[in-house]
Amino acid sequence: MPNSIDIKDFMSITPLTFTPATKIMDAIHEMLVRKVTGGTVLDDRGHVVGIISELDLLDKLEQIAYYQEGDACIGDLMCTEVDVLPGATTLFEAARILTKHHRRRMPVVEEGQFIGQISCRSILQAFKDTMLAHDKRED
């Protein structure tokens, strides 16, 4: 059941990541190409230092366009107050935390290192998959 399944089994291990030095226009391009709404910002040691989202970029869009600051860096706009989840977090715990904090995604960390990302969509997919598997066992 989803209550006992760790998020590590369903998290994305190749989510979109950036460095604080990533240019804003490069980040926008990558988000559009990969059809995602944000990414995790990592330092050179693989530690989570921020999150950048479409909303962060939209919030600064006028400033970016007006002042032609498209060459500014993600480090200037990213949210640095980042909640992370340990890999042993269950799906239900992760769902509660994401909804409580109004997050679409959260980085997953073990021993201080970024190992992936869990998203609302990943949790819903995991729940669907485990419920379908459970239903098939009962048939």
Side-chain angles (χ1 to χ4, degrees), residues 5 34 47 63-64 76 107 133 136:
I5 298 173
R34 292 195 44 187
H47 298 121
Q63 176 183 341
I64 294 167
D76 299 328
K136 286 181 182 177

Side-chain angles (χ1 to χ4, degrees), residues 3 5 19 23 28 32 35 40 44 54 63-64 75 81 86-88 95 99 104 106 109 112 118 120 131 134:
N3 198 33
I5 298 173
T19 69
K23 300 292 184 195
I28 291 170
L32 292 172
K35 298 179 181 177
T40 302
D44 58 353
E54 289 175 324
Q63 176 183 341
I64 294 167
E81 294 181 23
T99 50
R104 292 182 186 267
M106 287 180 89
V109 173
I118 193 72
C120 295
M131 294 308 290
H134 182 266

